[in-house]
Amino acid sequence: MATAAAAVTRPPMSALSNAQQPKVSEFWTPDYQPESIMPPSRLAGDHNVITMRSTGISTAMIMQDQPMVRKTKIVCTMGPKCWDEQCMGELIDEGMSVARFNFSHGDHEAHQAVLDRFRKVCAEKKSNCAVLLDTKGPEVRTAMLRNHEPIQLVKDQEIIVYAAGPDEYTTFEGYKTEEETKIGCSYAKLCQSVHDEAAEVAVVDNLEHLNHHRAVREQQLVARLNDKMLGERKNGNLPGVKVELDVLQAKDVDDIINFACKNKMDFVAVSFVQTAEDVQNVRQILDENDGQDIQIISKIENEEGMRNFDEILKQTDGVMVARGDLGMEIPSEKVALAQKMLITKCNIAGKFVIV
């Protein structure tokens, strides 16, 4: 029977020469980074296929009494219901590992009060619970509506979508008359990005889709929609389209510099990471503002992030699989497959992943 000592003294694969032929079950290589991952049956020839499933468990763990450590961490979002010290203490007692601060809502003053209160409770309980700032990130939203009243859209009716841009969409007012229906969008380059007539604009509310028909002007396109009551500021996605928006908007940069770095937070979760360059830009901002110790978590939320994931993984400290937004970009039944792939690649690269 293998002993506990034997289970932890296995040499890494990198310490072996090419001439040596180790048995797969005897070695684990945290630094093993294949270009792609595929079932063993797909591999040609005699290859060493090493997985967490086959090598992470030893007979000593099964047959002997050994102390077990919980490796899975619990991330809790600090919403209004858990802002008081009692609730914070209860969360810590129940196993919270990371407190998430969602900067899509609230201001610095409110978040600062919660953070100070949380660190006070952690000190009293001698807890080393980490803190995470989750950026708002770039957004595509519908604009305001005349008199702030929802518009009833009818299936197959033509509507005009105006690319108002981030500055104008809060003042532009959509409308519906007997002659036409016109709504606005916060994404200024909508017509340039959605150039394929088969492309879609997914509106989160009820998961309806605007099927792009044709561009009529530089800032307008004509589309069709299912039966729907459309409101203001509805979040949108562009499935299969590379959105030309900076991963860090002006608000995100301010949040990172004047809150995350200032308060020495442990993690920054960056929304809608699409390329490795996005991660490098965030790291530069952190390094220039005394945030060298803050780790970056790249949130994978769209097709572009999936497509460039291998390069993103090389630059990021950790990964978050944002299943909600990802389900708007790819077929919902394939989200579980994407999740498994991302988790497996993170495990092989030795980087943590949040689901």
Side-chain angles (χ1 to χ4, degrees):
M1 182 183 300
T3 63
V8 297
T9 56
R10 295 173 292 180
M13 188 68 76
S14 56
L16 302 174
S17 66
N18 292 333
Q20 293 173 288
Q21 296 294 327
K23 293 181 180 179
V24 174
S25 60
E26 294 178 356
F27 298 91
W28 163 240
T29 83
D31 55 344
Y32 176 61
Q33 297 181 353
E35 292 184 1
S36 62
I37 299 170
M38 61 184 70
S41 59
R42 295 277 190 89
L43 295 174
D46 184 18
H47 292 271
N48 286 316
V49 181
I50 299 175
T51 67
M52 287 287 287
R53 181 182 298 176
S54 63
T55 63
I57 301 174
S58 68
T59 51
M61 294 172 62
I62 300 170
M63 307 301 291
Q64 298 178 7
D65 242 356
Q66 295 191 26
M68 302 300 290
V69 178
R70 177 170 64 88
K71 295 184 179 181
T72 301
K73 310 302 180 183
I74 301 174
V75 181
C76 299
T77 299
M78 304 305 291
K81 291 291 186 180
C82 54
W83 280 354
D84 61 276
E85 293 185 15
Q86 180 181 349
C87 186
M88 291 178 179
E90 292 173 355
L91 289 172
I92 293 173
D93 292 339
E94 293 299 323
M96 176 172 64
S97 309
V98 182
R100 171 179 174 263
F101 290 73
N102 184 5
F103 272 66
S104 293
H105 310 284
D107 54 25
H108 286 199
E109 183 180 0
H111 284 300
Q112 188 68 58
V114 177
L115 178 61
D116 293 342
R117 201 176 303 126
F118 178 73
R119 284 181 165 166
K120 175 177 177 288
V121 175
C122 287
E124 292 173 352
K125 290 185 169 291
K126 295 181 171 55
S127 168
N128 60 353
C129 193
V131 287
L132 179 156
L133 184 152
D134 200 329
T135 63
K136 182 179 182 180
E139 293 181 320
V140 177
R141 289 188 178 274
T142 60
M144 303 299 103
L145 297 173
R146 188 172 293 173
N147 299 322
H148 303 290
E149 295 180 358
I151 292 177
Q152 178 63 56
L153 302 176
V154 181
K155 184 177 181 180
D156 291 333
Q157 79 166 102
E158 288 194 344
I159 63 173
I160 300 172
V161 183
Y162 172 62
D167 298 325
E168 191 182 350
Y169 98 103
T170 55
T171 56
F172 174 86
E173 293 184 341
Y175 57 85
K176 180 179 180 179
T177 65
E178 293 183 359
E179 291 76 26
E180 66 178 10
T181 300
K182 189 173 184 178
I183 63 173
C185 171
S186 66
Y187 183 35
K189 294 185 177 180
L190 176 67
C191 297
Q192 291 79 10
S193 297
V194 187
H195 51 75
D196 184 353
E197 291 194 5
E200 292 182 336
V201 181
V203 182
V204 168
D205 190 26
N206 294 330
L207 303 181
E208 300 291 355
H209 290 74
L210 290 163
N211 296 312
H212 172 223
H213 183 58
R214 65 184 185 275
V216 293
R217 294 180 187 172
E218 185 178 348
Q219 286 185 283
Q220 290 187 176
L221 59 83
V222 174
R224 298 177 186 273
L225 186 65
N226 294 328
D227 291 326
K228 178 178 183 60
M229 185 70 75
L230 183 69
E232 300 177 330
R233 294 179 179 269
K234 294 302 179 183
N235 194 21
N237 292 74
L238 301 174
V241 175
K242 187 180 189 304
V243 179
E244 296 184 37
L245 290 172
D246 293 335
V247 69
L248 290 183
Q249 301 292 293
K251 178 188 184 307
D252 302 319
V253 175
D254 178 61
D255 292 340
I256 290 175
I257 295 175
N258 295 314
F259 196 93
C261 294
K262 175 185 173 183
N263 287 287
K264 305 295 182 184
M265 299 189 80
D266 301 290
F267 303 101
V268 166
V270 185
S271 300
F272 292 98
V273 171
Q274 299 187 91
T275 65
E277 186 181 0
D278 291 340
V279 186
Q280 293 169 342
N281 292 338
V282 177
R283 174 50 62 196
Q284 182 178 352
I285 292 173
L286 290 171
D287 290 347
E288 291 175 352
N289 292 277
D290 199 25
Q292 296 90 339
D293 294 332
I294 298 177
Q295 295 190 58
I296 299 172
I297 300 173
S298 297
K299 297 174 68 175
I300 306 301
E301 308 186 51
N302 55 28
E303 283 191 27
E304 196 68 19
M306 290 279 297
R307 192 173 291 114
N308 299 319
F309 183 70
D310 288 349
E311 295 305 312
I312 292 172
L313 188 57
K314 292 177 182 178
Q315 301 296 329
T316 191
D317 298 300
V319 170
M320 183 183 296
V321 184
R323 295 183 294 181
D325 282 285
L326 196 56
M328 294 294 296
E329 293 275 339
I330 65 176
S332 57
E333 67 271 15
K334 293 188 177 181
V335 171
L337 294 177
Q339 175 180 312
K340 286 177 181 291
M341 183 192 75
L342 297 177
I343 292 173
T344 302
K345 288 190 174 186
C346 287
N347 287 339
I348 291 174
K351 297 189 176 182
F352 65 89
V353 55
I354 301 171
V355 179

